[in-house]
Amino acid sequence: MREEDSNWFSKWEDKLPSPEDLIPLSQSLITPDLALAFNLPNPHNTLHGHRTPPPPPPPQSAALSSQPNSSAEFDSPELSAAAAAADEPARTLKRPRLVWTPQLHKRFVDAVAHLGIKNAVPKTIMQLMSVDGLTRENVASHLQKYRLYLKRMQGIPGHSGGGGGNSAAAMAVSGVDAATDHLFASSPVPAHFLHPGRANSDHFNVPFVPVATAAMHHHHHGQMAVVAPHHHRFRHFVGSPPNGQFDHHHPFIRQPLLQGQRIAAQVHSSNGGYAEDFESTNGRQVLTLFPTGDD
DNA sequence: CAGAGAATAT
DNA sequence: TATATTCTCT
């Protein structure tokens, strides 16, 4: 692959989304814990600028009664952010539901596509997506649904996975409502996804930059310029080659979504509008990347 | 044990 | 319904 260094770079570069595509993608998920712990740095962000990021209310327990748990839980007032932060916030807090926006899903699909079905497992996908705050569970859950979607799509021949031309047939046959697949249909399904028998070949060779989830630095953001590929050869294999046979295709790199952009939330009860900040409705919060139209 | 994937739960 | 959580198996 080295002799193709320059070559692959071209291809790589070619394949990259344009800056315009990348920028809207540069959102980051901030873990609620983090948000709480740091009391939302609330930089000068802006875009909407308005409405101070309301200090996310402490997790008002209640709800959920899965474990009657012993005794009563006291939510001491002093258990505020400070105390919580000092004590290990992550443990007690509950993450808001993640909303898979088309942009986020796009990343997901890209990751899966470049990893190859074989290596596309939650952990790996998650790492490749490098979205701050995204958990393996988030990905696993989404992947499960996505696979079902693909399965349905496979049953319908003559379909080209396309956002624009969605196959009503597929949906009709599988008795699924169009709305159901809307998200999935928003990103084209790579052809090989639909061919189980076919040995697909793309895997690893993924120079991804692990994003340190340090909450400390929020320097420059917005600028998501394509990271300059270092001249080194990236030797980051994801997973182990089954038989040592490498099949390198286009290198795939993702710019980690840096934090500091903006975080938005949408209330579960179908809030018609788009997100503002963190809004809570009896403790039910939804974390979402702001919708930027479609891709 | 960690983690994938399916089955449930909310 | 969409996403989360739990459970089972690898």
Side-chain angles (χ1 to χ4, degrees):
Chain A
M1 51 175 96
R2 58 174 67 40
E3 77 273 33
E4 299 193 318
D5 260 40
S6 53
N7 201 15
W8 77 244
F9 178 61
S10 304
K11 290 196 280 185
W12 168 79
E13 189 174 35
D14 202 76
K15 205 174 179 349
L16 283 173
S18 60
E20 298 84 83
D21 276 338
L22 278 175
I23 291 175
L25 248 53
S26 54
Q27 276 82 238
S28 76
L29 293 176
I30 298 178
T31 69
D33 328 14
L34 238 42
L36 273 179
F38 292 80
N39 197 24
L40 231 297
N42 177 29
H44 9 305
N45 91 14
T46 65
L47 287 159
H48 278 161
H50 110 258
R51 191 180 179 52
T52 326
Q60 29 205 287
S61 50
L64 251 165
S65 51
S66 47
Q67 298 252 143
N69 227 335
S70 53
S71 27
E73 35 179 319
F74 295 106
D75 21 344
S76 349
E78 55 193 31
L79 190 60
S80 57
D87 221 84
E88 196 82 68
R91 217 180 313 195
T92 323
L93 300 182
K94 209 185 358 186
R95 282 179 188 267
R97 281 170 68 104
L98 173 69
V99 171
W100 285 86
T101 62
Q103 286 72 31
L104 195 53
H105 177 64
K106 176 84 177 336
R107 276 219 150 186
F108 168 86
V109 173
D110 276 354
V112 173
H114 285 86
L115 281 171
I117 306 292
K118 215 164 76 119
N119 293 316
V121 293
K123 191 182 184 184
T124 308
I125 296 171
M126 177 196 70
Q127 289 173 143
L128 265 184
M129 290 177 71
S130 55
V131 171
D132 196 19
L134 187 67
T135 69
R136 187 169 59 82
E137 283 80 10
N138 289 143
V139 175
S141 182
H142 192 66
L143 181 60
Q144 185 179 14
K145 279 297 283 305
Y146 189 58
R147 281 172 173 160
L148 289 176
Y149 169 75
L150 290 182
K151 208 159 278 237
R152 292 201 317 265
M153 293 313 250
Q154 291 177 30
I156 312 307
H159 161 267
S160 45
N166 58 44
S167 79
M171 296 187 282
V173 170
S174 33
V176 177
D177 199 295
T180 306
D181 293 329
H182 185 278
L183 208 215
F184 290 153
S186 73
S187 281
V189 175
H192 42 285
F193 280 21
L194 304 174
H195 298 167
R198 215 248 185 101
N200 64 29
S201 19
D202 39 340
H203 24 196
F204 55 80
N205 192 4
V206 181
F208 72 89
V209 190
V211 53
T213 53
M216 319 287 229
H217 39 248
H218 25 295
H219 19 245
H220 52 299
H221 50 272
Q223 182 52 279
M224 177 156 240
V226 176
V227 64
H230 306 121
H231 303 80
H232 326 139
R233 273 163 311 201
F234 290 96
R235 297 280 212 101
H236 242 337
F237 297 151
V238 179
S240 33
N243 50 6
Q245 157 121 47
F246 294 178
D247 187 341
H248 59 283
H249 274 204
H250 340 283
F252 172 69
I253 193 173
R254 297 255 62 142
Q255 179 72 6
L257 293 182
L258 297 181
Q259 102 171 42
Q261 287 296 80
R262 116 180 214 86
I263 198 170
Q266 195 171 17
V267 186
H268 168 60
S269 35
S270 43
N271 180 359
Y274 284 131
E276 291 277 356
D277 275 34
F278 259 120
E279 218 158 291
S280 68
T281 307
N282 62 35
R284 206 145 289 185
Q285 305 176 326
V286 176
L287 195 68
T288 180
L289 299 185
F290 60 80
T292 3
D294 51 348
D295 71 66

